[in-house]
Amino acid sequence: MTDDANAPWLIVGLGNPGPEYAANRHNVGFMVVDLLADRIGGKFKRAQKAQAQVVEGRMGPPGPANRRVILAKPMSYMNLSGGPVTALRDFYKVPTAHVVAIHDELDIDYGVLRLKIGGGDNGHNGLKSMTKAMSAEYHRVRFGIGRPPGRMQVADFVLKDFSSTERKELDFFVDRAADSVECLVAEGLERAQSAYNS
């Protein structure tokens, strides 16, 4: 699989399946791909070849920057995301450099975005699983959730819902993250970083 400019993009929101996790901080990746699906007018359906839900469509302005995209939500648990993502990558013939993982990031303040390609997993089990399954050379849209307060354990913090204060701005931040993905796909990483990295 070559990194062909015309190859499709696989945009993966990381999260845990099930209604009890839907509003958790750890599920912000699902929130962003849900919004992207709304924007391209698609509904998630079960993938044929992977434990995931997918939407296929096109993203970007008319013309050469309009890209074929597959939006995906792995239906494994977070720490097993690599299997479904790799299966989708292979089925749709997506180069690894056209895979985008949208995920929560503890070491960034709430609502701050950072886009990059490659790098470590910073203890994030979804990224750890993806990197083990297919290498680290995929794009990441890192959505800051901040560190847990006081002595709260990280695992408890990420599996809690956003606070009432955070929820007041959550839609705005999710919207901005979706914008950053569209910019990344249409205009490339450098342009998206200069517009959205804060």
Side-chain angles (χ1 to χ4, degrees), residues 23 54-55 70 78-79 82 86 88 90-91 97 112 119 139 155 162 193:
V54 294
V55 171
I70 301 97
M78 179 73 87
N79 60 343
T86 305
L88 292 169
D90 294 348
F91 178 72
V112 172
H139 287 86
F162 285 100
Q193 286 175 324

Side-chain angles (χ1 to χ4, degrees), residues 7 17 88 126 149-151 171 182 190 192-193 195:
L88 292 169
R151 296 174 176 229
D171 287 349
E182 291 180 342
E190 283 187 23
Q193 286 175 324

Side-chain angles (χ1 to χ4, degrees), residues 23-92:
N24 287 179
R25 293 182 178 93
H26 223 18
N27 271 44
V28 74
F30 277 17
M31 297 173 197
V32 176
V33 291
D34 282 340
L35 178 57
L36 288 167
D38 286 347
R39 289 184 180 184
I40 66 172
K43 290 264 188 283
F44 279 98
K45 62 182 191 299
R46 182 176 296 192
Q48 291 178 319
K49 302 287 184 182
Q51 190 182 357
Q53 291 185 350
V54 294
V55 171
E56 296 178 58
R58 300 197 74 85
M59 183 180 286
N66 188 261
R67 306 280 187 224
R68 180 170 171 239
V69 296
I70 301 97
L71 306 175
K73 295 191 288 190
M75 290 288 110
S76 61
Y77 285 95
M78 179 73 87
N79 60 343
L80 300 173
S81 299
V85 174
T86 305
L88 292 169
R89 180 199 64 172
D90 294 348
F91 178 72
Y92 289 105

Side-chain angles (χ1 to χ4, degrees), residues 3-157:
D3 187 4
D4 176 2
N6 296 316
W9 286 75
L10 174 60
I11 299 163
V12 181
L14 292 179
N16 286 307
E20 67 272 34
Y21 298 107
N24 287 179
R25 293 182 178 93
H26 223 18
N27 271 44
V28 74
F30 277 17
M31 297 173 197
V32 176
V33 291
D34 282 340
L35 178 57
L36 288 167
D38 286 347
R39 289 184 180 184
I40 66 172
K43 290 264 188 283
F44 279 98
K45 62 182 191 299
R46 182 176 296 192
Q48 291 178 319
K49 302 287 184 182
Q51 190 182 357
Q53 291 185 350
V54 294
V55 171
E56 296 178 58
R58 300 197 74 85
M59 183 180 286
N66 188 261
R67 306 280 187 224
R68 180 170 171 239
V69 296
I70 301 97
L71 306 175
K73 295 191 288 190
M75 290 288 110
S76 61
Y77 285 95
M78 179 73 87
N79 60 343
L80 300 173
S81 299
V85 174
T86 305
L88 292 169
R89 180 199 64 172
D90 294 348
F91 178 72
Y92 289 105
K93 298 180 171 55
V94 177
T96 300
H98 278 205
V99 176
V100 182
I102 307 164
H103 64 93
D104 57 307
E105 178 63 64
L106 286 159
D107 284 338
I108 303 175
D109 288 342
Y110 174 60
V112 172
L113 291 177
R114 296 272 165 75
L115 285 77
K116 69 174 190 173
I117 187 166
D121 56 57
N122 205 21
H124 192 289
N125 289 330
L127 298 181
K128 195 176 293 182
S129 178
M130 283 180 61
T131 297
K132 186 176 176 187
M134 66 179 189
S135 94
E137 294 310 302
Y138 53 90
H139 287 86
R140 297 102 189 275
V141 175
R142 304 158 72 206
F143 187 111
I145 61 169
R147 301 294 304 182
R151 296 174 176 229
M152 186 187 291
Q153 294 296 308
V154 165
D156 295 333
F157 180 68

